[in-house]
Amino acid sequence: MKQPDEGNLFTDLMEFGPAPTMAREIVVAVISLGIVAVLFAIVGPELPAFVALGVIVAFMGGRFVIGLRQWEQRS
Protein backbone atom coordinates (compact mmCIF):
# COMPACT_ATOMS: atom_id res chain seq x y z
CA MET A 1 0.00 0.00 0.00
CA LYS A 2 1.37 3.38 -0.98
CA GLN A 3 1.97 5.83 1.85
CA PRO A 4 0.51 9.35 1.46
CA ASP A 5 3.93 11.01 1.57
CA GLU A 6 5.36 8.85 -1.22
CA GLY A 7 3.61 10.49 -4.18
CA ASN A 8 4.32 9.04 -7.61
CA LEU A 9 7.03 9.10 -10.28
CA PHE A 10 5.94 12.47 -11.66
CA THR A 11 6.16 14.13 -8.25
CA ASP A 12 9.55 12.47 -7.68
CA LEU A 13 10.80 14.02 -10.91
CA MET A 14 9.42 17.49 -10.14
CA GLU A 15 10.40 17.82 -6.47
CA PHE A 16 13.58 19.59 -5.42
CA GLY A 17 14.17 17.10 -2.64
CA PRO A 18 14.98 13.41 -2.96
CA ALA A 19 12.46 10.64 -3.57
CA PRO A 20 11.21 8.68 -0.53
CA THR A 21 13.35 5.61 -1.35
CA MET A 22 16.76 5.05 -2.90
CA ALA A 23 15.30 2.88 -5.67
CA ARG A 24 12.92 5.61 -6.75
CA GLU A 25 15.72 8.18 -6.68
CA ILE A 26 17.82 5.95 -8.95
CA VAL A 27 14.90 5.74 -11.39
CA VAL A 28 14.66 9.54 -11.34
CA ALA A 29 18.41 9.80 -12.05
CA VAL A 30 18.16 7.39 -15.00
CA ILE A 31 15.22 9.32 -16.46
CA SER A 32 17.10 12.60 -16.01
CA LEU A 33 20.11 11.18 -17.83
CA GLY A 34 17.79 10.10 -20.64
CA ILE A 35 16.49 13.66 -20.90
CA VAL A 36 20.08 14.93 -21.08
CA ALA A 37 20.80 12.41 -23.85
CA VAL A 38 17.85 13.77 -25.83
CA LEU A 39 19.17 17.30 -25.23
CA PHE A 40 22.55 16.31 -26.66
CA ALA A 41 20.86 14.64 -29.64
CA ILE A 42 18.89 17.80 -30.42
CA VAL A 43 21.43 20.52 -29.64
CA GLY A 44 24.68 18.68 -30.22
CA PRO A 45 27.83 18.86 -28.12
CA GLU A 46 27.92 22.63 -27.69
CA LEU A 47 28.70 24.73 -24.63
CA PRO A 48 25.09 25.30 -23.47
CA ALA A 49 24.46 21.55 -23.50
CA PHE A 50 27.57 20.93 -21.39
CA VAL A 51 26.51 23.66 -18.95
CA ALA A 52 23.06 22.06 -18.64
CA LEU A 53 24.71 18.67 -18.11
CA GLY A 54 26.88 20.06 -15.32
CA VAL A 55 23.94 21.70 -13.57
CA ILE A 56 21.80 18.56 -13.82
CA VAL A 57 24.57 16.26 -12.57
CA ALA A 58 25.34 18.57 -9.62
CA PHE A 59 21.64 18.84 -8.74
CA MET A 60 21.06 15.08 -8.95
CA GLY A 61 24.20 14.42 -6.89
CA GLY A 62 23.00 16.82 -4.21
CA ARG A 63 19.56 15.19 -4.13
CA PHE A 64 21.15 11.77 -3.75
CA VAL A 65 23.44 12.84 -0.89
CA ILE A 66 20.56 14.47 0.97
CA GLY A 67 18.48 11.36 0.32
CA LEU A 68 21.18 9.06 1.69
CA ARG A 69 20.98 10.78 5.04
CA GLN A 70 17.18 10.51 5.10
CA TRP A 71 17.06 6.91 3.90
CA GLU A 72 19.58 5.81 6.56
CA GLN A 73 17.51 7.41 9.32
CA ARG A 74 14.37 5.57 8.18
CA SER A 75 16.12 2.18 8.23
Side-chain angles (χ1 to χ4, degrees):
M1 182 90 154
K2 188 184 339 181
Q3 299 298 319
D5 62 337
E6 287 186 3
N8 57 31
L9 180 61
F10 182 73
T11 58
D12 290 346
L13 285 167
M14 296 295 126
E15 288 178 349
F16 286 113
T21 63
M22 184 184 294
R24 288 174 61 171
E25 185 65 29
I26 290 171
V27 170
V28 168
V30 168
I31 291 172
S32 297
L33 289 176
I35 292 170
V36 169
V38 170
L39 172 71
F40 269 91
I42 293 171
V43 176
E46 296 185 16
L47 183 61
F50 284 111
V51 169
L53 173 65
V55 168
I56 291 169
V57 168
F59 179 71
M60 295 306 297
R63 276 179 58 143
F64 196 82
V65 168
I66 292 169
L68 278 176
R69 294 166 58 197
Q70 292 177 0
W71 301 320
E72 288 176 359
Q73 289 176 355
R74 290 182 188 171
S75 296

